[in-house]
């Protein structure tokens, strides 16, 4: 009696339907990448089975020779990609093909729909490689069975890409996955074996598993196939691990092809680091820094990491323990000769060999970046533009390499016209005057706000350079990087500033300043009384030249910009009261009478103006407007 199976029909998730519609109805210039994607998936499936079989030999089912086969049937107009890897269960097929769980895919769709980029070479970056089948296929059939499961648990999945798919349980003696593409008329070029072999050679030559195709049949003098030949498969890829070859023997073109297969990035990498370590510890590292920041650089759900191999055997594709989070843009692999094959996640977290590999890898990358910064400033500036904000995280996360990172970071400063971060701390220290004792900086939520900060006025007047920090991470950076080359970093908007030795002017000018300050002492006391608990203190300022007032954070209090960043992140921030500093030389302050009826309005208006000057919002804008109006008619 034959087994009864139920055919289930399902609709794709909305994002999948959008993706399929774009692939089927849009024009693409590089449809051949479908083969790269499917072979890559097949390779991953075999690698996973090889890893799992280290602890469970039964998964191999008396078939230890892992391989990938590509078949072409010109009569049926089909291309088939077959592997004997780990395979999938019914539920895994539903999860992996019917839905898109990764948020990066949604972003990819938005960019394609907005016309930002229509290059299908980006597909792999978003985990949607299987759907590239519909670039060339009018319908797709997937047959699969999970290794170790009974033959009766096979699964058949079919779809024409119109928005629905069917799935059913079938008998499948072979483990692994088989993808059968019935090609569109426009894709008949992929029925030519020579064309398919060329694609495999270009994109998948490095894959260590054998990729097999049927040998071309022998033909007679008239070009006709000689009858009676037995079909025979042959390996069409070199199958050698590129990273295991001597560095001098690997060409730039081979690195480019391998990098593209690893990252799906069509552009050549900005930096390639191929290193072999021998001695007490033996391993090979191959790292690439992309020319452009990956789309998922700021996607916290996206998996990042370096591939880990042990003696050419794939172990893990997300070995975060090998590379710190602030170097998450680095792509590549490590192949160790010393680690055991049964590596677990817990093992990676506690292994001293991994710690040594990580430390050496980080120093190698930072050292290479330092060389580029010294030899090719333009190239380094391009890299900094892409990855600067991420590298700054290292100053907070990696105290062991803080000195190296402090020489790599770049900032904008008052010496530049635009917002480009081109000034190194070494540049700044080299330009410091003999009497200047600190590296001065100001933080703000934008470059424009930093550049227009009233705290800069006395520094501009005395030609003292100030770093303009506007990246959110900068607030954490300056809290962890307190010194550079024995020079303290000091905020010009926090605590008291002793600028007497930097100010230009003679003793007579200073005597006049002291006299003006003494005359304003009653007004300062009145402002303290009016503002009360709203401020921590009111005092006369040495920082201001053109502005009447500014806000200053106490030395150990949370600054206003940091408070706003934490609140924007949804975190509770202790509300630190600011110090109001007023300019004793400003005409407004000299005209305010401590006994006038308007003195209270002036106190609040100057406080609100100082709040606005640092880019913050007023708690009560209506009250501010009312006070200004009263002063205008007074």
């Amino acid at each position: 009696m034959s087994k009864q199976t139920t055919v289930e029909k399902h609709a794709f998730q909305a994002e999948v339907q959008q993706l399929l519609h774009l692939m089927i109805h849009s024009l693409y210039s590089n449809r051949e990448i479908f083969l790269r994607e499917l072979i890559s998936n097949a390779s991953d499936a075999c690698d996973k089975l090889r890893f799992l079989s280290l602890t469970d030999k039964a998964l191999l089912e008396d078939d230890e020779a892992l391989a990938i086969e590509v078949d072409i049937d010109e009569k049926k107009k089909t291309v088939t990609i077959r592997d004997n890897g780990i395979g999938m269960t019914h539920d895994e097929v539903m999860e992996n093909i019917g839905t898109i769980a990764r948020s990066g895919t949604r972003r990819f769709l938005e960019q394609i729909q907005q016309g930002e980029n229509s290059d299908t070479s980006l597909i792999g970056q978003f985990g949607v490689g299987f759907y590239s089948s519909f670039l060339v296929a009018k319908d797709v059939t997937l047959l699969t069975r999970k290794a170790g499961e009974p033959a009766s648990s096979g699964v058949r999945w079919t779809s024409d890409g119109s928005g629905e798919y069917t799935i059913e349980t079938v008998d499948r003696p072979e483990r692994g996955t088989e993808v059968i593409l019935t090609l569109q008329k426009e894709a008949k070029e992929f029925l030519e074996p020579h064309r398919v072999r060329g694609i495999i050679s270009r994109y998948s030559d490095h894959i260590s598993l054998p990729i097999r195709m049927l040998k071309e049949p022998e033909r007679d003098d008239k070009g006709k196939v000689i009858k009676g030949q037995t079909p025979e498969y042959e390996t069409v890829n070199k199958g050698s691990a590129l990273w295991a070859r001597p560095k001098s023997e690997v060409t730039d073109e081979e690195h480019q092809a391998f990098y593209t297969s690893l990252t799906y990035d069509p552009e050549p990498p900005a930096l390639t680091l191929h290193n072999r370590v021998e001695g007490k510890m033996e391993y090979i590292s191959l790292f690439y820094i992309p020319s452009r920041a990956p789309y998922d650089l700021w996607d916290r759900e996206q998996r990042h990491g370096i591939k880990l191999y042990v003696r050419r055997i794939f172990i893990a594709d997300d070995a975060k323990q090998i590379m710190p989070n602030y170097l998450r843009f680095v792509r590549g692999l490590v192949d160790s000769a010393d680690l055991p094959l049964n590596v677990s996640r817990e093992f990676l977290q506690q292994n001293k060999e991994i710690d040594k590999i990580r430390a050496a890898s980080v120093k190698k990358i930072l050292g290479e970046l330092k060389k580029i910064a010294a030899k090719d400033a333009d190239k380094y500036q391009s890299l900094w533009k892409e990855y600067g904000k991420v590298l700054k995280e290292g100053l907070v996360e990696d105290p062991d390499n803080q000195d190296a990172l402090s020489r790599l970071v770049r900032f904008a400063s008052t010496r530049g016209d635009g917002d480009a971060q081109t000034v190194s701390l070494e540049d700044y220290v080299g330009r410091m005057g003999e009497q200047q004792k600190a590296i001065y900086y100001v933080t703000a939520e934008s470059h424009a706000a930093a550049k227009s900060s009233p705290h800069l006025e006395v520094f501009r007047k005395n030609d003292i350079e100030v770093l303009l920090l506007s990246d959110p991470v900068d607030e954490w950076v300056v809290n962890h990087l307190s010194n550079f080359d024995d020079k303290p970093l000091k905020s010009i908007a926090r605590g008291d500033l002793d600028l007497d030795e930097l100010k230009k002017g003679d003793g007579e000018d200073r005597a006049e300043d002291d006299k003006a300050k003494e005359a304003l002492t009653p007004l300062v006391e009145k402002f303290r009384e009016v503002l009360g608990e709203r401020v921590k203190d009111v005092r006369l300022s040495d920082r201001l030249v053109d502005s009447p007032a500014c806000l200053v954070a106490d030395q150990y209090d949370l600054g206003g910009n940091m408070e706003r960043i934490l609140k924007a992140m949804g975190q509770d921030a202790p509300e630190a009261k600011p110090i109001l500093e007023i300019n004793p030389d400003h005409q407004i302050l000299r005209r305010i009478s401590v006994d006038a009826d308007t003195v209270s309005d002036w106190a609040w208006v100057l406080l609100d103006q100082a709040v606005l000057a640092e880019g913050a919002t007023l708690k009560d804008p209506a009250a501010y407007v009312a006070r200004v109006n009263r002063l205008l008619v007074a």
Side-chain angles (χ1 to χ4, degrees):
M1 185 174 178
S2 63
K3 180 181 176 181
Q4 296 293 320
T5 62
T6 302
V7 178
E8 306 170 22
K9 182 175 285 189
H10 299 273
F12 282 112
Q13 186 187 29
E15 286 83 6
V16 178
Q17 293 188 40
Q18 295 174 43
L19 182 63
L20 293 175
H21 179 81
L22 285 167
M23 287 194 172
I24 295 169
H25 299 288
S26 299
L27 296 176
Y28 295 96
S29 59
N30 191 21
R31 296 189 301 170
E32 65 187 29
I33 58 95
F34 83 92
L35 193 59
R36 177 193 71 190
E37 297 293 324
L38 296 180
I39 289 177
S40 179
N41 289 346
S43 176
D44 288 345
C46 291
D47 281 339
K48 288 175 183 176
L49 176 60
R50 180 162 51 186
F51 177 58
L52 293 172
S53 68
L54 295 174
T55 54
D56 188 359
K57 285 285 186 182
L59 292 175
L60 293 175
E61 303 176 4
D62 299 324
D63 181 14
E64 297 186 8
L66 300 174
I68 302 167
E69 294 178 351
V70 179
D71 285 336
I72 296 171
D73 191 323
E74 295 184 41
K75 292 182 179 179
K76 294 181 179 179
K77 304 290 191 293
T78 62
V79 173
T80 300
I81 296 87
R82 183 186 307 109
D83 69 73
N84 59 348
I86 190 65
M88 290 181 284
T89 64
H90 177 283
D91 290 344
E92 287 172 337
V93 172
M94 291 281 291
E95 179 182 356
N96 294 333
I97 302 180
T99 62
I100 296 178
R102 292 165 61 177
S103 60
T105 301
R106 294 184 175 88
R107 185 175 177 187
F108 167 75
L109 285 169
E110 291 170 1
Q111 291 174 334
I112 292 292
Q113 289 169 330
Q114 293 168 7
E116 292 186 23
N117 201 319
S118 60
D119 188 349
T120 51
S121 59
L122 296 175
I123 289 171
Q125 293 184 352
F126 298 90
V128 294
F130 174 79
Y131 304 113
S132 64
S133 304
F134 290 98
L135 291 171
V136 297
K138 61 182 180 182
D139 60 67
V140 178
T141 298
L142 178 143
L143 296 167
T144 187
R145 177 175 67 80
K146 188 72 173 276
E149 298 292 325
S152 59
S153 64
V155 180
R156 177 190 286 122
W157 178 99
T158 59
S159 177
D160 61 2
S162 61
E164 292 183 337
Y165 63 90
T166 62
I167 188 169
E168 60 182 310
T169 302
V170 296
D171 285 325
R172 179 172 168 80
E174 307 86 359
R175 69 162 189 265
T177 301
E178 184 174 349
V179 182
I180 305 167
L181 312 180
T182 303
L183 299 183
Q184 306 162 2
K185 290 182 180 179
E186 299 81 5
K188 63 181 181 180
E189 62 182 289
F190 300 110
L191 292 174
E192 301 172 7
H194 180 73
R195 174 84 166 101
V196 172
R197 287 168 185 260
I199 296 170
I200 293 173
S201 176
R202 183 180 310 156
Y203 293 117
S204 307
D205 208 39
H206 68 279
I207 288 178
S208 57
L209 295 164
I211 303 173
R212 299 172 181 156
M213 291 182 65
L214 286 172
K215 282 185 177 180
E216 287 288 313
E218 294 184 14
R219 300 176 183 271
D220 58 23
D221 295 338
K222 296 181 179 180
K224 293 183 179 181
V225 175
I226 299 174
K227 294 181 179 181
Q229 299 181 60
T230 301
E232 184 180 350
Y233 281 95
E234 63 178 352
T235 301
V236 297
N237 65 318
K238 291 180 181 177
S240 61
L242 174 141
W243 60 89
R245 292 156 53 189
K247 183 163 56 174
S248 60
E249 294 181 8
V250 184
T251 65
D252 291 342
E253 291 74 18
E254 288 176 313
H255 270 303
Q256 165 68 39
F258 181 71
Y259 168 76
T260 298
S261 71
L262 195 69
T263 65
Y264 308 102
D265 182 1
E267 294 189 40
L271 186 61
T272 299
L273 295 174
H274 191 181
N275 191 40
R276 181 187 294 269
V277 175
E278 296 177 334
K280 291 183 179 180
M281 205 169 44
E282 291 188 17
Y283 67 90
I284 301 168
S285 64
L286 177 56
F287 300 132
Y288 299 102
I289 295 181
S291 298
R292 298 181 185 276
Y295 283 83
D296 53 12
L297 187 64
W298 301 104
D299 182 1
R300 293 296 178 179
E301 297 179 14
Q302 173 63 31
R303 294 171 68 85
H304 299 283
I306 299 297
K307 291 181 182 290
L308 175 63
Y309 289 77
V310 175
R311 297 186 289 279
R312 316 296 182 269
I313 295 176
F314 173 80
I315 299 298
D317 61 358
D318 184 38
K320 291 188 177 77
Q321 294 78 11
I322 294 176
M323 198 63 63
N325 194 48
Y326 70 89
L327 291 177
R328 58 185 175 271
F329 54 86
V330 177
R331 300 293 189 255
L333 59 89
V334 167
D335 189 346
S336 171
D338 302 319
L339 294 174
L341 290 173
N342 57 339
V343 174
S344 65
R345 195 169 296 276
E346 291 75 19
F347 178 89
L348 290 176
Q349 293 172 346
Q350 302 169 3
N351 186 265
K352 291 183 179 179
E353 296 296 323
I354 289 292
D355 292 341
K356 291 178 182 177
I357 292 173
R358 173 189 173 111
S361 298
V362 170
K363 286 184 178 180
K364 183 71 176 177
I365 292 169
L366 297 183
E368 196 64 27
L369 289 174
K370 182 180 179 181
K371 289 180 184 177
I372 294 174
K375 295 179 180 179
D376 192 341
D378 290 340
K379 182 176 181 179
Y380 184 74
Q381 193 58 37
S382 297
L383 288 171
W384 180 258
K385 186 177 179 181
E386 298 293 326
Y387 305 116
K389 292 180 183 179
V390 186
L391 279 172
K392 285 180 180 179
E393 294 175 11
L395 291 167
V396 181
E397 299 173 358
D398 191 359
D400 292 339
N401 289 295
Q402 191 178 82
D403 182 69
L405 285 162
S406 68
R407 298 176 191 282
L408 291 175
V409 293
R410 299 291 185 267
F411 303 100
S413 90
T414 50
R415 291 289 171 89
D417 295 327
D419 60 355
Q421 298 180 4
T422 59
V423 178
S424 70
L425 293 176
E426 288 176 302
D427 293 337
Y428 183 100
V429 171
R431 292 195 289 259
M432 285 173 57
E434 292 183 5
Q435 292 181 304
Q436 187 177 341
K437 298 176 181 178
I439 299 170
Y440 294 108
Y441 69 87
V442 62
T443 60
E445 62 182 8
S446 68
H447 177 77
K451 193 172 184 178
S452 61
S453 171
H455 300 92
L456 292 171
E457 291 173 1
V458 72
F459 291 87
R460 285 202 175 100
K461 180 179 179 181
N462 292 281
D463 194 29
I464 301 171
E465 185 176 10
V466 178
L467 300 176
L468 307 176
L469 313 186
S470 56
D471 291 335
V473 71
D474 288 335
E475 286 285 358
W476 283 270
V477 167
V478 293
N479 285 329
H480 287 77
L481 184 66
S482 56
N483 288 273
F484 178 81
D485 281 355
D486 297 325
K487 303 289 185 182
L489 272 72
K490 186 169 182 59
S491 170
I492 65 171
R494 184 186 296 275
D496 292 320
L497 284 180
D498 183 10
L499 297 177
D500 286 344
E501 75 277 12
L502 300 178
K503 285 186 175 181
K504 297 175 181 178
D506 55 26
E508 186 177 339
D509 292 334
R510 294 186 182 183
E512 291 182 3
D513 288 343
D514 292 339
K515 187 176 180 180
K517 289 179 180 180
E518 185 178 349
L520 286 174
T521 299
L523 184 62
V524 170
E525 294 293 338
K526 184 65 176 178
F527 275 19
R528 286 185 183 135
E529 177 187 335
V530 171
L531 298 177
E533 294 298 314
R534 178 65 178 81
V535 296
K536 193 169 190 175
D537 193 13
V538 179
R539 66 193 184 198
L540 298 176
S541 179
D542 288 324
R543 312 168 201 259
L544 299 174
V545 177
D546 301 314
S547 300
C550 70
L551 295 181
V552 177
D554 209 354
Q555 185 64 39
Y556 301 106
D557 284 350
L558 199 67
N561 189 52
M562 185 64 155
E563 183 180 330
R564 289 190 291 275
I565 290 173
L566 291 175
K567 287 182 177 179
M569 295 169 62
Q571 298 184 20
D572 293 330
E575 188 172 352
K577 295 177 182 178
I579 297 169
L580 178 67
E581 288 195 355
I582 57 177
N583 183 357
D585 298 321
H586 202 278
Q587 290 296 323
I588 288 180
L589 274 301
R590 293 185 176 184
R591 291 180 180 180
I592 299 174
S593 172
V594 70
D595 299 319
D597 294 337
T598 57
V599 68
S600 178
D601 282 342
W602 275 117
W604 284 104
V605 165
L606 290 175
L607 175 63
D608 286 345
Q609 285 184 349
V611 170
L612 291 172
E614 67 172 23
T617 56
L618 299 179
K619 294 183 178 180
D620 191 352
Y624 170 73
V625 172
R627 292 186 184 108
V628 170
N629 288 341
R630 286 198 296 269
L631 291 174
L632 288 174
V633 298

